[in-house]
Amino acid sequence: MRHNKSINHLSRKSGHRKALLANMAVSLIEHKRITTTLAKAKALKMYVEPLVTKSKEDTTHSRRTVFSYLKNKEAVKELFGTISPKIMSRPGGYTRILKVGFRQGDAAEMALIEFVDFNEAALASSPKKEAKKTSTRRSRSKKAAAPAAEAAAEAPKAEEATPAAEVAAEAPAAEVPAEEKKAE
């Protein structure tokens, strides 16, 4: 039984599994998103997220540790140079898994795994969501309703004063031409 054993062995021996995950991690780092089976994507997420966390601290020790997992210099440079600055403020959850359907040949469930901060489509829509972000509606609406009601009550008074001022302004203007006619 495999009770309480979190690692998915992916029907491979340990050497094969480590090589598979290292190669997939390199591909993910280079391309920022890859399509694979759902089981491999979940295993890859568990494999690559600690490496991304290590890349936040750019030291020789952390570079060597990450290199021991990836075994690819270019991928380590990309991780520490491009990916690390973008995810520096994120406390975790660097990757996202999206289900994309089933493979035609064997009906395996497929998934797209990508870095969260490198999806331009999602980043373009996220600032709009942040602009709408509010706290609780109930407390805000009560607070906003009282000043709005007062402003609405004051607005008609101001509008009433405006027509009276216009009438007063028009009356002297009408009298001036009448006075000019009398002078002639």
Side-chain angles (χ1 to χ4, degrees):
M1 287 188 268
R2 58 170 305 275
H3 294 303
N4 204 23
K5 297 186 184 199
S6 62
I7 189 168
N8 186 352
H9 297 288
L10 300 172
S11 300
R12 289 165 172 84
K13 296 193 178 193
S14 64
H16 188 187
R17 186 175 56 254
K18 286 177 188 174
L20 170 82
L21 292 173
N23 288 332
M24 287 176 60
V26 168
S27 295
L28 179 64
I29 290 168
E30 288 177 355
H31 301 292
K32 309 299 184 269
R33 71 171 59 171
I34 57 172
T35 304
T36 183
T37 62
L38 184 62
K40 287 180 188 175
K42 288 179 179 179
L44 179 61
K45 183 173 186 161
M46 289 177 56
Y47 185 84
V48 82
E49 292 219 357
L51 299 180
V52 175
T53 302
K54 276 219 182 284
S55 74
K56 286 183 170 184
E57 185 181 352
D58 192 4
T59 61
T60 305
H61 177 67
S62 61
R63 281 182 178 264
R64 286 179 177 170
T65 305
V66 170
F67 181 76
S68 71
Y69 282 91
L70 297 179
K71 298 171 181 59
N72 187 318
K73 276 191 216 178
E74 288 75 26
V76 173
K77 280 185 198 174
E78 181 77 14
L79 180 63
F80 280 87
T82 307
I83 296 171
S84 178
K86 273 198 163 186
I87 55 95
M88 196 60 73
S89 62
R90 186 177 289 276
Y94 311 112
T95 57
R96 169 189 302 132
I97 297 176
L98 303 169
K99 295 179 183 180
V100 293
F102 298 93
R103 188 162 50 197
Q104 193 164 5
D106 59 354
E109 193 168 8
M110 299 298 288
L112 181 113
I113 182 168
E114 64 183 0
F115 282 110
V116 174
D117 293 324
F118 286 89
N119 186 351
E120 287 78 21
L123 291 176
S125 64
S126 64
K128 294 176 186 173
K129 290 179 182 177
E130 289 177 16
K132 292 181 180 179
K133 189 175 181 180
T134 61
S135 57
T136 58
R137 287 183 164 207
R138 194 174 348 158
S139 63
R140 185 170 255 214
S141 63
K142 286 180 183 176
K143 291 177 184 175
E150 293 172 11
E154 292 174 12
K157 292 177 185 175
E159 290 175 5
E160 291 172 4
T162 305
E166 290 176 6
V167 171
E170 290 176 7
E175 293 175 10
V176 173
E179 291 174 9
E180 291 177 350
K181 289 181 182 176
K182 290 180 184 177
E184 293 177 2

